[in-house]
Amino acid sequence: MVNFKKIFLLSCLFLFGCNNNEISTSLPVKLPSPVELPSPTQSVNIYATSAGNFGRAFMLSSAFSSNVSQTIMALGSEKLPYEFKSITGAEFKVIGLENKYETINNTVINYTNHNKENNLYLGVIGISNGNLLSDEAFSYLDNIYIVPEGTSLLSYPEWRINNIISFARKAKENGVKNVNLALWNSIDNNTLLNSSSQIAKLPSNGVGYYFFNFNDMAKKVSLFENSEGLLSAAIYTGAINPSIIDSDIFVESKSFDKDKDSIVLFGSYTRNEINTSKTNQIEILKHLEKITDHKKYNIIFKGHPSEVSVNNWIQNNNISSSSYFKSFPYEIWQVIGGGEHKYTYNNVSYNLYLPKVPTYIYSMFSTALYGEDANKIKVIIGYNKVKHENKEYIITNEVDDSAIEDRNEYNRWVDWTKNKNVPFEMTFDWINN
């Protein structure tokens, strides 16, 4: 199929005799041939088991950046099925969430095609808990991809890793060619293999590594014009809450300018000490206000979906120029990009605007950092403890327990990746420098 939207036109003209507003075009301008997008590969991709924010975002991004003949997402929550067909002819279908392995067996058996390559994507938690597919379901599959749920798997105990190995062994006994664990391609393979992490022993026990990159996925989603399908499927699978239908999920500040680049603060939530995360994040935003070139950049707060107190502070504070997301997975924003988008829900089409993806990132430690370009990341910030004084909470110079955990995560991130130049600072030190 010829896709004229993807034709890249040369705009160079050979100009001769350019005098007195006369332009000679005696040489013909030769335009390149239209670029034809590839037809879908003859494969069936199946995505199953419930997952948290990261797992669903990965599955959706993987699905809609692929160009295979049929994709089944057994991840749906309501008003199903949802179906989408890309400009290449690739077909996508969201069906009901299947978390029990006995029903996943049935999905595999019902949707695989013996004339095509059949691939299954499963969340790591169920596998590491010791769940297995039936021998028959395994026999229908060519490849299995194990999907992480954040970075917790990087420190899995031995018993969970042994369950993954047992799963792979059983799969291969029944004809599965490859079992792979999906990992961020920012992780250095040799460093990982030589580490003390339990997942380092997976390749020698039948489980390979499949390295992925969200920025590469973004290019493919754009090429195949699949952002509408991805956004719509994200709502049907619960990755984006249906409550956002036809409402603002991104709230612009009074000074927000669509032409400006973005500086983003990734927040995190101290569940047992909510005033700690709230106070630290507000002080960080205040400091960002001071150091940001507002002629070039919009400040955008991307907080934890369970915490709305900082959003409320931004909304009720006239001095803040920060915009914010109500709730939206960062990886999906990263993959579909900024600008005007469309999505469909219950046969009604809606419009959605998203700001430009970040030029620079300030962050508490976040899984999202493994999937980003290190050159964007300015600093990782750890929380200080707060104290209540004169009816308000103020930052102290004492280190909060959450920062100790974040520092440990940061040290591994630096050790396993190429992100050697990104500093870790405490809130108190950073805002006072």
Side-chain angles (χ1 to χ4, degrees):
M1 181 197 313
V2 176
N3 179 11
F4 291 100
K5 291 183 180 180
K6 297 297 178 185
I7 298 173
F8 178 77
L9 298 178
L10 294 176
S11 58
C12 253
L13 293 177
F14 296 93
L15 304 180
F16 297 92
C18 223
N19 187 31
N20 296 325
N21 296 323
E22 293 179 1
I23 297 176
S24 170
T25 56
S26 56
L27 293 180
V29 177
K30 185 177 180 181
L31 298 178
S33 300
V35 176
E36 185 172 355
L37 292 176
S39 298
T41 59
Q42 294 304 299
S43 304
V44 177
N45 286 353
I46 299 173
Y47 296 80
T49 69
S50 64
N53 292 335
F54 177 83
R56 280 179 296 186
F58 169 84
M59 289 188 177
L60 288 160
S61 300
S62 171
F64 285 94
S65 62
S66 301
N67 186 31
V68 302
S69 53
Q70 186 178 26
T71 296
I72 302 298
M73 289 167 277
L75 308 167
S77 56
E78 56 182 86
K79 297 185 182 297
L80 300 167
Y82 167 72
E83 297 181 357
F84 179 81
K85 189 172 184 178
S86 79
I87 60 174
T88 66
E91 297 179 351
F92 301 83
K93 186 175 184 179
V94 180
I95 61 175
L97 170 66
E98 293 179 355
N99 214 13
K100 295 181 179 178
Y101 271 59
E102 58 200 53
T103 53
I104 295 173
N105 291 331
N106 294 333
T107 297
V108 169
I109 293 168
N110 291 336
Y111 284 100
T112 49
N113 185 324
H114 70 276
N115 292 319
K116 299 180 179 181
E117 181 182 72
N118 298 289
N119 306 305
L120 176 65
Y121 293 74
L122 278 177
V124 69
I125 294 176
I127 295 172
S128 67
N129 281 337
N131 290 302
L132 295 169
L133 296 176
S134 67
D135 290 350
E136 182 182 9
F138 274 133
S139 71
Y140 281 70
L141 296 167
D142 295 289
N143 303 290
I144 296 176
Y145 296 90
I146 302 173
V147 177
E149 186 48 65
T151 55
S152 60
L153 70 90
L154 302 181
S155 55
Y156 265 5
E158 185 176 18
W159 67 270
R160 285 193 177 275
I161 298 300
N162 288 340
N163 282 338
I164 294 173
I165 292 170
S166 297
F167 178 93
R169 185 178 300 120
K170 188 71 171 177
K172 292 187 175 182
E173 287 174 359
N174 286 281
V176 176
K177 298 173 185 174
N178 300 292
V179 178
N180 294 310
L181 173 66
L183 291 171
W184 301 262
N185 78 338
S186 61
I187 295 175
D188 181 76
N189 185 50
N190 290 331
T191 302
L192 173 55
L193 291 175
N194 291 319
S195 74
S196 60
S197 173
Q198 287 292 324
I199 67 170
K201 69 180 185 181
L202 288 176
S204 60
N205 286 277
V207 182
Y209 297 146
Y210 162 70
F211 291 99
F212 65 87
N213 182 300
F214 281 111
N215 292 320
D216 288 344
M217 292 181 188
K219 294 174 185 176
K220 294 177 182 178
V221 168
S222 175
L223 178 67
F224 302 135
E225 299 183 10
N226 281 346
S227 63
E228 180 179 348
L230 194 162
L231 269 175
S232 304
I235 297 171
Y236 282 96
T237 60
I240 300 173
N241 195 308
S243 65
I244 67 116
I245 301 301
D246 201 24
S247 65
D248 293 330
I249 65 165
F250 174 68
V251 180
E252 300 176 5
S253 68
K254 293 179 180 178
S255 62
F256 181 83
D257 185 337
K258 293 183 178 181
D259 292 330
K260 293 179 184 177
D261 290 329
S262 301
I263 286 178
V264 174
L265 172 64
F266 288 148
S268 68
Y269 182 38
T270 50
R271 193 176 304 276
N272 296 324
E273 294 288 344
I274 58 174
N275 289 306
T276 298
S277 54
K278 175 184 177 180
T279 307
N280 275 263
Q281 289 171 111
I282 289 173
E283 293 303 319
I284 293 167
L285 282 172
K286 287 179 180 177
H287 190 61
L288 271 178
E289 291 274 354
K290 296 177 183 177
I291 66 173
T292 296
D293 183 347
H294 295 275
K295 293 179 180 179
K296 294 182 179 180
Y297 302 106
N298 296 307
I299 298 175
I300 297 171
F301 177 64
K302 181 72 181 66
H304 190 282
S306 297
E307 183 177 51
V308 298
S309 60
V310 181
N311 290 350
N312 292 338
W313 176 85
I314 293 172
Q315 189 174 28
N316 297 323
N317 194 310
N318 292 329
I319 67 169
S320 176
S321 64
S322 300
S323 304
Y324 63 91
F325 281 93
K326 289 182 178 177
S327 179
F328 197 85
Y330 176 70
E331 289 80 9
I332 292 181
W333 177 27
Q334 184 181 1
V335 168
I336 67 171
E340 300 290 342
H341 297 281
K342 290 184 178 181
Y343 63 91
T344 302
Y345 186 73
N346 201 22
N347 297 318
V348 179
S349 182
Y350 300 92
N351 296 318
L352 172 67
Y353 171 79
L354 295 176
K356 293 180 180 181
V357 294
T359 299
Y360 295 115
I361 293 169
Y362 296 78
S363 182
M364 275 41 78
F365 193 84
S366 168
T367 295
L369 300 178
Y370 275 92
E372 262 298 0
D373 180 353
N375 293 320
K376 290 184 175 183
I377 305 166
K378 303 294 284 184
V379 64
I380 311 300
I381 303 173
Y383 289 155
N384 287 99
K385 290 186 177 181
V386 301
K387 64 179 180 180
H388 194 247
E389 190 174 278
N390 296 326
K391 298 183 179 181
E392 65 177 352
Y393 287 91
I394 61 173
I395 295 283
T396 72
N397 62 358
E398 188 176 353
V399 175
D400 187 69
D401 290 344
S402 64
I404 298 174
E405 297 174 8
D406 281 359
R407 183 66 189 237
N408 291 334
E409 290 286 345
Y410 164 84
N411 288 338
R412 178 169 57 194
W413 177 69
V414 170
D415 185 37
W416 285 15
T417 69
K418 299 177 181 178
N419 305 317
K420 310 300 183 187
N421 298 320
V422 180
F424 184 96
E425 297 188 39
M426 300 302 299
T427 302
F428 182 88
D429 296 329
W430 187 70
I431 66 176
N432 287 297
N433 285 338

